[in-house]
Amino acid sequence: GEDVEQSLFLSVREGDSSVINCTYTDSSSTYLYWYKQEPGAGLQLLTYIFSNMDMKQDQRLTVLLNKKDKHLSLRIADTQTGDSAIYFCAERDDKIIFGKGTRLHILP
Amino acid sequence: DTEVTQTPKHLVMGMTNKKSLKCEQHMGHRAMYWYKQKAKKPPELMFVYSYEKLSINESVPSRFSPECPNSSLLNLHLHALQPEDSALYLCASSQLGQGEQYFGPGTRLTVT
């Protein structure tokens, strides 16, 4: 069945870049997403990439997609304390499948 | 405007109560969703409405009853819930045929 895997925790020093990685199994995925969830809040769509793209950049966010390896990454440049949250990778074919989420912890 | 609103923000109910969760969007999206999220877990899909018709029910118990009265509103009626139903209930919407789903802030439900 479809599966999305990501590491559960990432610790990064403030000002450094954060890279959150994700792998997925469904080769027919048409969209891949990154959502951010702050404590007690709903999910915020950060960015998404179509499966025929390799890269997408949006201000401090860079998404890289390696379709051959089914690997998706999210790079956050100049990580700030406000970036502290859980980041969910998700893929979509007929419905969205979420990974378990990566908790990003910012060190001062 | 990419906002999905949900009310109430918090709800505490007993196992014999009947209550409803409400969701609203004004983005013209014709697909709306209910998700359930337990602590430290990803959201789990419950229901999908397309053009105000129920298109997916992920084998959700009948004590959860969704309703889509019009293209902007989505309700979730709750009756005879169990303590294990306590969770964050998230509503989302999207354009049909397009990927990105926009989520509301959620209703945190506690069943006592």
Side-chain angles (χ1 to χ4, degrees):
Chain A
E2 303 141 342
D3 195 21
V4 177
E5 296 283 340
Q6 49 183 131
S7 55
L8 295 181
F9 189 84
L10 176 65
S11 190
V12 174
R13 200 165 296 279
E14 189 176 359
D16 288 350
S17 293
S18 307
V19 180
I20 304 172
N21 293 304
C22 168
T23 57
Y24 60 97
T25 57
D26 187 356
S27 57
S28 60
S29 295
T30 50
Y31 298 86
L32 295 130
Y33 310 91
W34 285 104
Y35 284 90
K36 176 183 180 182
Q37 187 174 33
E38 298 183 51
L43 272 71
Q44 174 194 352
L45 177 64
L46 271 185
T47 187
Y48 63 94
I49 189 168
F50 295 113
S51 58
N52 62 358
M53 296 168 65
D54 298 324
M55 186 182 92
K56 181 177 180 181
Q57 186 153 6
D58 182 4
Q59 299 182 335
R60 292 192 297 124
L61 305 178
T62 304
V63 178
L64 294 177
L65 175 60
N66 181 328
K67 198 172 178 184
K68 175 174 164 289
D69 295 338
K70 300 194 185 84
H71 182 268
L72 183 74
S73 69
L74 173 70
R75 179 176 179 269
I76 306 173
D78 186 25
T79 308
Q80 304 296 308
T81 53
D83 297 323
S84 180
I86 298 177
Y87 290 81
F88 289 97
C89 169
E91 64 167 348
R92 176 173 181 151
D93 185 14
D94 60 338
K95 62 182 181 183
I96 287 186
I97 306 293
F98 287 91
K100 289 182 168 54
T102 299
R103 181 175 296 276
L104 179 61
H105 177 63
I106 314 301
L107 299 166
Chain B
D1 180 12
T2 57
E3 190 180 26
V4 177
T5 58
Q6 289 187 242
T7 56
K9 193 168 180 178
H10 300 278
L11 178 62
V12 180
M13 60 186 290
M15 289 190 283
T16 57
N17 291 159
K18 283 186 184 181
K19 296 284 183 185
S20 297
L21 309 185
K22 297 187 183 303
C23 172
E24 191 167 2
Q25 57 88 15
H26 294 288
M27 295 178 276
H29 291 168
R30 302 309 295 271
M32 295 186 76
Y33 312 79
W34 279 115
Y35 287 83
K36 174 183 177 180
Q37 187 180 26
K38 301 284 273 184
K40 297 184 176 18
K41 299 285 187 187
E44 298 171 11
L45 183 65
M46 299 174 72
F47 302 104
V48 181
Y49 272 82
S50 307
Y51 289 108
E52 296 92 69
K53 291 192 182 345
L54 183 65
S55 55
I56 293 178
N57 176 342
E58 292 283 294
S59 303
V60 179
S62 60
R63 58 187 185 267
F64 295 91
S65 174
E67 180 199 16
C68 191
N70 61 54
S71 59
S72 300
L73 294 173
L74 185 66
N75 298 323
L76 185 63
H77 302 298
L78 314 172
H79 175 53
L81 294 194
Q82 304 296 310
E84 60 265 28
D85 296 322
S86 298
L88 182 68
Y89 288 84
L90 294 163
C91 172
S93 71
S94 73
Q95 294 281 13
L96 278 168
Q98 295 189 21
E100 47 289 20
Q101 289 184 11
Y102 293 89
F103 283 80
T107 294
R108 186 159 300 282
L109 174 68
T110 303
V111 182
T112 60

